[in-house]
Amino acid sequence: MSKVLTEEKLNVVNTPVEKVDGKALVRGKPVFTDDFDLPNALTVKILRSPHAHAIIKSIDTSEAMIEGVACILTYKDVPHVIYTRAGQGYPEPSPYDTFILDKKVRYVGDAVAIIAAENENIAERAMKLIKVDYEILPAILDYEHAQDPDAPVIHDEPEISGSYDPKHNIASHYEMEIGNVEEELKKCDYTIDEVYYTPNQSHAMMEPHTAISYFDPNGRLTVITSTQVPFHARRILNRLFGVNCRVIKPRIGGGFGGKQAIHVEPYVVAVTLKTGRPAKCVYTREETMTATNTRHAMRFRVRAGAMKDGTLRAIELWGLSNTGAYGEHALTVFMVAGSKTLPLYNKVKAVKFGGDVVYSNTEPAGAFRGYGAPQGMFALDSALDELARKIGIDPIEFKLKNSIREGETSPIFRIMGEGREGVDQIIRSCKIEECAIEGSKIFNWYEKIKRPRIDMKKKVAHGYGVAFAMQGSSIPAIDMGGATLKMNDDGTFNLLVGATDLGTGSDTILAQIAAEVLHTTVDKITVYSSDTDMTPFDKGAYASSTTYVSGNAVKKAAEKMKKEILKAASELFEKPVEFLDLEEDKVVCDDGRSISFAELQTKLFYTFNQRQLEVTESFVSEVAPPPYLVSFAEVEIDMETGKVKVVDFLNYIDCGVPINPILARGQVEGASAQGIGIALFEDHIMDKNGRLITDDFFTYKIPARGDIGKIEVRFAKSYEPTGPFGAKSVSEIGLDTPGPAIANAIYDALGIRMRRLPIRSEELFFEIRKKYG
Amino acid sequence: MRVNIKINDKNHSIEIEPGEMLLETLRRLGYKGVKHACSTASCGACTVQIDGKPVLSCSTFTAAVDGHEVKTIEGFSNEGVLSEIQKAILEEGASQCGFCIPGLVVTAEALLKENPDPDQKEIIEYLKGNLCRCTGYESQTRAIMKAAKARRER
Ligand code: FES
Ligand code: FES
């Protein structure tokens, strides 16, 4: 893979170092939560509501207390503390509208009782013997009807707080306008006014949600859990139970936002506190699919207008978002649908964004990679594509002409932040021109669009689509990451970070950053991450923040360690530090003397100015530099079935300097695949009672090997001055483009505009029939 | 009931519950590399080899394996050296979270034994039951091509 040009000479950063946890993973070592067996552990199972909306009139567990059952807990037995499961920083921008267990159930799958037994069989038998008498309430299964005048009220609990208007099922509301969209639209030569839909999407990470809790020999409550946010989990568990605990995150089998919320942890902790015994809960695939979180389904009406020459003048995005039964991330995901899309087109004279986030009796929505941007960008980019075609100008040219450039800003950065005001920022790295222009060359765009699209004989159509995207890197002025470095007498270092590697490779890239600064190699850096008793704080893995925020924290810590090493060596050599430098695991002096890190720390341990070299640093960012992405899709459509195949998907990305090009490429490829999933396959289907029938990998189709054609990734030559070694974020943005790029390509092929994801073959087939007979 | 199974070249005589699935038995015996991700034969994470053929252990009765030979990811993992497949997976970044990897390795071992020189199509076809949510599959296909080449040149 070609190296990216940077402003610094790099030895470790920007090289494809193998993952530091890779050897364990490829050997199938027991490194995941469920791989830990604790003697005497209870198996925990959750009884879930079969009704979408009901009040528990009575619940009788007496017959279920069969031999081998340790405890059964209902809403009467657990702390009645209102909270949000969202797993965000404090104070949370999500409403407090959830209890560990409640008298009311709000979707099919809502927790009713916690059963702890000696083994799974007993727990399951006991579960069937619990008698619950429900008063069934009318339910809202279609979020577009959540605000109907006769709609039932989902959250009538008096304790609720932070919810916008629960009496009308509105969890959050937001609106902002810059300039006057109405007036500007009147002046436009061309306008568009269309409605776009994006569906719920299941994270479908391979490892189901899992947690274990136990008292350690000294009586400290310890929780091992597949979480993206160990520190937030600890804080929230403390709020719920009034008990401080240690949270450990081992390896995680994927998260994608789905393990940011607090799902399993309160159940096992409740059991351990009640029984004193270790407790383990492993969700079934069905529970992971139906009773955790999903992407917020959204509807956006887009109005936009442009001049004959392709100057975009005004954009309005007005939306409705489905947060399901609870308001996890309701406001913030919705805002990101605007705040991480609209600044891309910063040259407009007026821009407006707003709408409601509503409750419904469906699986709660939550954080999901992209966090609203895929929803907003599907609407915005599709609309701009429509507008470009109306004007009769190449969509690449149109989007590029109106998009943001280095040195520019958008007022939206300041106006829209994480559920509150944001921060001003000037864009210091933006290679969107390179992405679009070089990308179109590699993709052969201008040659391809001259080709005929439809082969009526073969009944096959080909189409080409392009989509532009931006994201952020961290939540500025809120997200904090910490790092500790400790030098050992064998010349190695321990790097302790709160950052949460959920398969992304963050442990590896953080080690690379430390190794780069310390003139050593990754094998000399042992990383310990995500243990609330051992490692410094980190906000956790979300908001595209780990490389940028935790990476900067590690860089700061390593720079401080470098100073400490030089200082110690200067004392030893009796030479000012200006004459010393680090070089390949040693300190070198300009007079030819040198000392290895191992010798130096050994001396410091036993014989000379005795001390442990150890440093801790924290980092909070003032800005959130966006990465940029231009994606090109070629689709092949079988006109007799409506089946769409993504033959080629090229991503040209500006993520600054990729710290590890192989891992960065993997992030983009993986996000593209999930984006292709939401574009073509993935959708929630409910029966008439609100039960999700898409609850396993047969019914809920995630892309399989054969569904993906070619996914390619190219990196722009970019350097973000505020990032660690020029890096920006890379993990989320890839999900923003497949939806619009594929829809645009289908339009290009057939002249049929699909405004609702996923684009099902049968729906496309009917449209093809309508148009082509 | 009692069954006799050879697991990774070691004979085991095991007491099992009727209706017990091989996935459960293997994990109980400590073969934690065998992953549980769906239990409904839809993801491939629990794949092991039975008499050399890849099989989903979540939907195989342990009783049915009585007298047979089972090989799990642990059986393909030397402490010292990585197999060509494991090495290529690491080099190509084909393991992100790693949860699908044991099943992938076990299946790919069977593929390369049957077909030492598979093309891209054959790889995709053979491994179509092994879902991965992280990688988008591209790197995994590259890794297996690379491993096949390394094995042929061994
Ligand atoms: S766990 Fe066996 S196929 Fe998924
Ligand atoms: S690497 Fe995570 S599921 Fe494949």
Side-chain angles (χ1 to χ4, degrees):
Chain A
M1 190 167 297
S2 68
K3 270 204 156 196
V4 171
L5 292 180
T6 64
E7 294 178 6
E8 291 163 68
K9 188 186 160 315
L10 301 169
N11 296 312
V12 191
V13 161
N14 197 222
T15 66
V17 171
E18 283 168 15
K19 281 185 75 180
V20 294
D21 54 347
K23 288 201 173 68
L25 293 175
V26 297
R27 286 187 173 122
K29 292 281 181 198
V31 292
F32 298 96
T33 306
D34 188 26
D35 300 341
F36 296 92
D37 282 337
L38 291 182
N40 208 23
L42 293 164
T43 299
V44 176
K45 288 266 159 198
I46 308 301
L47 173 68
R48 296 185 178 280
S49 166
H51 304 296
H53 198 192
I55 289 171
I56 299 172
K57 285 204 298 194
S58 70
I59 181 160
D60 179 2
T61 59
S62 52
E63 273 178 40
M65 288 301 296
I66 53 176
E67 190 174 338
V69 172
C71 70
I72 298 178
L73 307 174
T74 71
Y75 69 90
K76 295 176 205 151
D77 309 304
V78 292
H80 192 67
V81 178
I82 196 142
Y83 80 122
T84 173
R85 260 185 297 239
Q88 295 164 298
Y90 185 82
E92 291 109 328
S94 296
Y96 281 8
D97 57 7
T98 308
F99 297 98
I100 304 167
L101 297 172
D102 195 8
K103 208 173 151 44
K104 193 178 187 192
V105 287
R106 295 176 180 84
Y107 73 103
V108 176
D110 215 348
V112 173
I114 306 165
I115 301 116
E118 298 300 332
N119 65 40
E120 192 165 337
N121 283 344
I122 301 173
E124 265 163 14
R125 261 195 296 139
M127 181 147 63
K128 293 199 184 94
L129 295 170
I130 299 174
K131 292 207 182 71
V132 192
D133 191 9
Y134 294 100
E135 178 192 334
I136 299 172
L137 304 171
I140 304 164
L141 299 182
D142 178 353
Y143 72 101
E144 292 191 272
H145 289 290
Q147 290 159 301
D148 287 357
D150 58 344
V153 177
I154 295 174
H155 281 277
D156 46 7
E157 65 277 9
E159 299 90 340
I160 193 167
S161 70
S163 187
Y164 181 74
D165 182 5
K167 287 195 180 59
H168 297 97
N169 294 319
I170 307 174
S172 302
H173 172 87
Y174 182 80
E175 58 181 272
M176 71 98 195
E177 182 167 12
I178 302 166
N180 187 327
V181 167
E182 218 58 63
E183 287 305 311
E184 292 302 329
L185 282 175
K186 280 185 207 148
K187 295 179 197 150
C188 292
D189 299 324
Y190 294 91
T191 58
I192 176 134
D193 182 353
E194 294 290 352
V195 178
Y196 304 85
Y197 288 87
T198 48
N200 288 124
Q201 181 182 24
S202 289
H203 302 79
M205 68 296 272
M206 283 295 128
E207 178 204 29
H209 298 69
T210 308
I212 302 173
S213 71
Y214 60 96
F215 287 114
D216 80 1
N218 296 317
R220 178 148 178 78
L221 182 67
T222 306
V223 182
I224 305 176
T225 170
S226 60
T227 182
Q228 293 177 223
V229 289
F231 286 89
H232 298 339
R234 177 183 68 176
R235 189 194 76 233
I236 292 163
L237 288 170
N238 196 338
R239 172 183 167 83
L240 291 176
F241 296 99
V243 182
N244 195 355
C245 65
R246 171 183 179 191
V247 175
I248 300 169
K249 176 224 67 116
R251 304 330 295 168
I252 317 188
F256 319 116
K259 290 172 180 168
Q260 180 175 353
I262 308 305
H263 290 292
V264 202
E265 296 88 349
Y267 305 140
V268 288
V269 166
V271 168
T272 295
L273 290 178
K274 175 86 185 177
T275 62
R277 289 177 59 181
K280 185 195 248 190
C281 183
V282 186
Y283 272 11
T284 61
R285 176 54 51 187
E286 186 186 337
E287 281 177 304
T288 289
M289 288 290 197
T290 62
T292 58
N293 281 147
T294 159
R295 182 184 295 286
H296 292 79
M298 289 188 200
R299 178 190 79 196
F300 273 106
R301 178 181 174 194
V302 185
R303 297 200 301 157
M307 309 309 288
K308 273 203 255 359
D309 68 351
T311 306
L312 190 62
R313 208 173 170 111
I315 310 174
E316 175 184 324
L317 246 60
W318 200 260
L320 183 71
S321 169
N322 179 18
T323 193
Y326 299 96
E328 283 116 283
H329 301 263
L331 174 62
T332 42
V333 165
F334 184 66
M335 285 179 71
V336 163
S339 66
K340 303 263 161 76
T341 59
L342 294 167
L344 188 54
Y345 300 103
N346 65 332
K347 302 188 172 54
V348 291
K349 296 221 164 1
V351 56
K352 187 171 173 185
F353 177 87
D356 291 325
V357 186
V358 292
Y359 291 115
S360 68
N361 295 108
T362 58
E363 183 179 13
F368 194 146
R369 193 180 202 171
Y371 204 79
Q375 291 96 314
M377 205 39 113
F378 173 64
L380 177 58
D381 192 274
S382 295
L384 294 184
D385 202 79
E386 296 200 43
L387 198 52
R389 289 179 194 266
K390 263 193 178 178
I391 306 170
I393 139 173
D394 175 52
I396 298 181
E397 204 184 301
F398 179 57
K399 291 171 194 173
L400 191 56
K401 178 183 166 85
N402 293 291
S403 58
I404 197 164
R405 293 290 185 279
E406 247 166 48
E408 296 178 359
T409 186
S410 159
I412 295 171
F413 291 131
R414 179 181 46 78
I415 295 170
M416 296 177 77
E418 175 78 351
R420 59 184 201 190
E421 278 201 353
V423 293
D424 258 329
Q425 65 177 348
I426 305 281
I427 297 303
R428 303 186 61 184
S429 62
C430 174
K431 302 294 176 213
I432 200 147
E433 275 181 287
E434 179 188 337
C435 295
I437 293 166
E438 295 307 312
S440 63
K441 283 186 200 153
I442 297 166
F443 188 78
N444 228 345
W445 174 266
Y446 291 103
E447 196 269 315
K448 277 183 173 160
I449 57 172
K450 286 190 207 125
R451 292 181 194 169
R453 305 300 203 277
I454 300 179
D455 184 336
M456 267 305 185
K457 259 208 228 95
K458 288 198 195 136
K459 292 275 184 196
V460 170
H462 279 257
Y464 313 99
V466 64
F468 283 42
M470 61 170 282
Q471 197 82 31
S473 303
S474 81
I475 306 168
I478 294 180
D479 280 350
M480 201 265 270
T484 296
L485 266 166
K486 179 161 82 73
M487 187 153 96
N488 301 315
D489 55 354
D490 56 0
T492 68
F493 297 87
N494 296 135
L495 173 60
L496 281 65
V497 286
T500 311
D501 190 337
L502 49 150
T504 47
S506 67
D507 284 359
T508 309
I509 63 115
L510 296 176
Q512 284 180 264
I513 291 170
E516 185 70 55
V517 176
L518 292 168
H519 292 257
T520 182
T521 43
V522 164
D523 57 308
K524 303 245 170 49
I525 312 257
T526 310
V527 185
Y528 294 99
S529 57
S530 328
D531 177 335
T532 58
D533 270 10
M534 304 293 170
T535 65
F537 173 86
D538 190 283
K539 75 281 157 217
Y542 55 78
S544 281
S545 59
T546 303
T547 300
Y548 189 73
V549 170
S550 316
N552 265 321
V554 168
K555 186 160 183 257
K556 261 175 91 177
E559 278 159 358
K560 195 164 171 193
M561 174 57 89
K562 182 177 171 180
K563 269 197 197 129
E564 291 291 316
I565 295 170
L566 289 174
K567 189 164 156 253
S570 116
E571 291 159 10
L572 184 72
F573 288 151
E574 294 179 341
K575 266 275 209 184
V577 283
E578 297 83 72
F579 299 98
L580 304 172
D581 211 349
L582 301 191
E583 204 176 85
E584 288 180 27
D585 299 304
K586 51 186 187 300
V587 186
V588 290
C589 186
D590 72 337
D591 59 15
R593 286 182 292 169
S594 75
I595 183 165
S596 71
F597 294 166
E599 286 171 90
L600 180 63
Q601 186 60 66
T602 305
K603 279 197 196 304
L604 293 173
F605 276 175
Y606 303 108
T607 54
F608 176 78
N609 283 357
Q610 283 167 275
R611 65 185 187 271
Q612 166 73 61
L613 294 190
E614 184 176 54
V615 300
T616 296
E617 281 289 350
S618 307
F619 181 81
V620 185
S621 180
E622 292 305 312
V623 290
Y628 301 91
L629 172 65
V630 178
S631 299
F632 303 81
E634 174 175 350
V635 298
E636 183 180 282
I637 303 151
D638 179 342
M639 294 177 70
E640 284 178 314
T641 61
K643 194 170 169 355
V644 179
K645 169 126 194 171
V646 181
V647 188
D648 191 2
F649 198 86
L650 169 70
N651 295 293
Y652 208 113
I653 183 170
D654 165 10
C655 60
V657 174
I659 303 284
N660 185 319
I662 292 256
L663 297 183
R665 178 183 68 184
Q667 285 302 306
V668 183
E669 288 174 347
S672 289
Q674 291 177 355
I676 292 171
I678 198 179
L680 295 176
F681 313 114
E682 297 180 37
D683 196 7
H684 280 189
I685 300 168
M686 271 184 292
D687 70 11
K688 62 178 194 323
N689 299 318
R691 192 181 74 82
L692 259 192
I693 52 180
T694 43
D695 62 3
D696 65 15
F697 291 124
F698 287 119
T699 48
Y700 185 82
K701 179 160 172 42
I702 65 169
R705 233 162 269 272
D707 298 319
I708 305 284
K710 192 165 83 176
I711 301 176
E712 254 189 286
V713 181
R714 300 295 172 107
F715 296 107
K717 292 178 192 61
S718 174
Y719 184 93
E720 168 56 40
T722 66
F725 294 105
K728 296 189 278 191
S729 83
V730 68
S731 62
E732 294 191 273
I733 189 169
L735 228 154
D736 302 346
T737 51
I742 290 167
N744 296 342
I746 291 172
Y747 180 83
D748 181 70
L750 297 166
I752 295 171
R753 181 59 67 173
M754 301 303 278
R755 299 191 183 90
R756 185 189 286 268
L757 298 184
I759 299 165
R760 295 166 198 251
S761 50
E762 57 273 20
E763 275 168 33
L764 184 57
F765 172 72
F766 286 126
E767 295 298 326
I768 294 171
R769 271 267 287 271
K770 256 195 256 162
K771 187 161 176 161
Y772 295 93
Chain B
M1 65 182 291
R2 185 159 283 278
V3 291
N4 294 300
I5 308 175
K6 196 173 198 181
I7 305 169
N8 301 339
D9 293 328
K10 215 172 120 196
N11 289 315
H12 288 262
S13 175
I14 322 153
E15 197 55 42
I16 59 162
E17 299 272 323
E20 187 170 315
M21 291 296 170
L22 183 59
L23 169 63
E24 259 173 84
T25 312
L26 290 170
R27 286 189 61 86
R28 182 155 45 85
L29 291 173
Y31 298 101
K32 302 284 190 189
V34 190
K35 291 290 172 243
H36 145 259
C38 75
S39 297
T40 56
S42 61
C43 78
C46 64
T47 308
V48 298
Q49 287 188 7
I50 299 177
D51 303 332
K53 291 258 171 305
V55 172
L56 301 176
S57 65
C58 73
S59 13
T60 303
F61 286 119
T62 310
V65 190
D66 193 9
H68 290 266
E69 221 180 289
V70 173
K71 208 160 167 191
T72 70
I73 178 72
E74 287 87 352
F76 292 102
S77 303
N78 284 329
E79 269 320 307
V81 276
L82 295 176
S83 71
E84 287 98 347
I85 293 176
Q86 289 167 327
K87 210 164 150 273
I89 286 176
L90 268 186
E91 285 168 4
E92 287 300 321
S95 164
Q96 285 185 27
C97 78
F99 209 76
C100 68
I101 295 299
L104 181 82
V105 171
V106 168
T107 315
E109 288 283 355
L111 163 68
L112 296 190
K113 212 159 131 199
E114 280 173 39
N115 178 2
D117 190 9
D119 62 23
Q120 204 158 318
K121 264 219 175 88
E122 287 166 328
I123 292 174
I124 289 171
E125 179 57 29
Y126 200 94
L127 293 163
K128 66 169 186 256
N130 292 82
L131 293 181
C132 172
R133 187 56 154 169
C134 297
T135 61
Y137 305 109
E138 288 280 27
S139 52
Q140 297 190 340
T141 309
R142 280 194 292 267
I144 291 161
M145 299 281 275
K146 193 170 180 180
K149 186 155 177 276
R151 271 167 76 124
R152 291 196 305 275
E153 285 164 4
R154 169 161 70 182

